[in-house]
């Protein structure tokens, strides 16, 4: 099983702290997907859950054929049916990429940076799934690949942690431990360093924003590229 953990100590809300059973169910195999007009197999893509529409949105990534980088958007409903919302290379789209940070702002998916073959990106985009259109927002403070993005539960802001950027002097990659907050009201904010131990620099970690009112992020794992070190901390 998986041990439930409540940040701050004590038993989880509504539980006794005992391991809970987890069951995996395959909704759609790769072979079945290929026969139903679905996204091509890919890696380095991103996804968010859209509560209002009860579906998952999937953006971009890299496919095997020619190592092409994509900027398409697909929606997967709970009935496991796929819908193409924006084709790769569509007018006004951000451009193909992988390892972007993906979040949800209001009802819209947002895309932060990523890797474009030989270019590190610091742009910031919003996708309106109703209008099926892209809007370029204010560029992010840092160009990054592999940042962890967590969406505030009420949809008013996102938090971005870590990721890989370039050193100004050498041009080599370095990992980050920076936290950035973005909202439509205040745009980009870099909170002051707080108390406690700052997580080691990393990329490709996962993060969630705890329920409304807590103002807490939980970050798990990641990679330190320069030392080929993988984390399993929280």
């Amino acid at each position: 099983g998986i041990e439930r953990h409540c940040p701050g100590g004590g038993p989880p809300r509504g539980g006794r702290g005992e391991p809970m059973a987890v069951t995996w169910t395959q909704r759609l195999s790769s072979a079945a997907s290929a026969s139903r007009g679905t996204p091509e197999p890919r890696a380095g893509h991103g996804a968010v859950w859209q509560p209002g529409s009860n579906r998952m949105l999937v953006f971009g990534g890299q496919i095997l054929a020619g190592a092409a980088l994509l900027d398409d958007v697909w929606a997967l409903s709970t009935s496991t049916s796929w819908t193409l919302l924006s084709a790769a290379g569509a007018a006004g789209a951000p451009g193909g990429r992988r390892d972007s940070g993906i979040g949800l702002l209001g009802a819209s998916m947002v895309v932060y940076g990523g890797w474009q073959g030989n270019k590190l990106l610091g742009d910031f985009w919003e996708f309106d799934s109703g209008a099926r259109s892209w809007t370029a927002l204010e560029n992010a403070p840092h160009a990054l690949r592999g940042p962890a993005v967590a969406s505030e539960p009420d949809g008013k802001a996102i938090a971005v942690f870590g990721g890989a950027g370039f050193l100004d002097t050498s041009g080599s990659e370095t990992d980050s431990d920076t936290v950035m907050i973005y909202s439509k009201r205040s745009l980009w904010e870099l909170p002051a360093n707080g108390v406690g131990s700052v997580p080691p620099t990393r990329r490709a970690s996962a993060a969630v924003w705890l329920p409304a009112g807590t103002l807490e992020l939980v970050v798990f794992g990641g990679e330190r590229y320069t030392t080929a070190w993988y984390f399993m901390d929280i």
Side-chain angles (χ1 to χ4, degrees):
I2 295 178
E3 184 69 27
R4 293 182 289 184
H5 171 70
C6 181
R13 297 181 182 90
R16 299 190 303 273
E18 73 280 4
M20 62 179 178
V22 174
T23 302
W24 287 97
T25 303
Q26 185 178 37
R27 295 291 187 91
L28 206 59
S29 68
S30 294
S33 293
S35 67
R36 294 175 58 173
T38 61
E40 296 174 80
R42 62 190 65 197
H45 51 290
V48 293
W49 182 255
Q50 195 176 40
S53 301
N54 206 30
R55 61 185 181 177
M56 179 176 70
L57 303 181
V58 177
F59 167 77
Q62 187 171 27
I63 60 175
L64 284 174
L69 295 165
L70 306 177
D71 59 357
D72 53 352
V73 180
W74 291 80
L76 177 67
S77 70
T78 53
S79 63
T80 65
S81 61
W82 287 98
T83 302
L84 178 62
L85 300 182
S86 179
R97 62 190 67 198
R98 61 170 297 155
D99 304 332
S100 301
I102 311 294
L104 196 68
L105 199 61
S108 298
M109 179 178 67
V110 288
V111 175
Y112 181 123
W115 181 250
Q116 202 169 61
N118 59 356
K119 183 180 179 182
L120 199 63
L121 302 173
D123 51 356
F124 189 50
W125 292 80
E126 179 179 28
F127 181 73
D128 183 330
S129 60
R132 301 190 180 189
S133 63
W134 287 98
T135 301
L137 302 176
E138 178 178 320
N139 278 1
H142 306 289
L144 291 172
R145 65 184 295 189
V149 177
S151 303
E152 189 180 23
D154 63 8
K156 293 181 180 178
I158 63 166
V160 180
F161 170 76
F166 281 136
L167 291 171
D168 294 335
T169 53
S170 67
S172 60
E173 288 191 48
T174 182
D175 296 322
S176 170
D177 61 2
T178 301
V179 175
M180 298 175 285
I181 307 293
Y182 178 88
S183 68
K184 290 291 186 70
R185 178 179 58 83
S186 57
L187 303 183
W188 287 104
E189 295 181 278
L190 278 70
N193 289 336
V195 298
S197 300
V198 177
T201 58
R202 65 190 69 195
R203 70 181 72 182
S205 57
V208 293
W209 195 317
L210 293 185
T214 61
L215 297 179
E216 289 184 85
L217 301 179
V218 176
V219 176
F220 172 72
E223 172 193 12
R224 179 176 288 169
Y225 177 75
T226 53
T227 58
W229 182 264
Y230 289 83
F231 296 97
M232 58 177 295
D233 55 348
I234 298 176

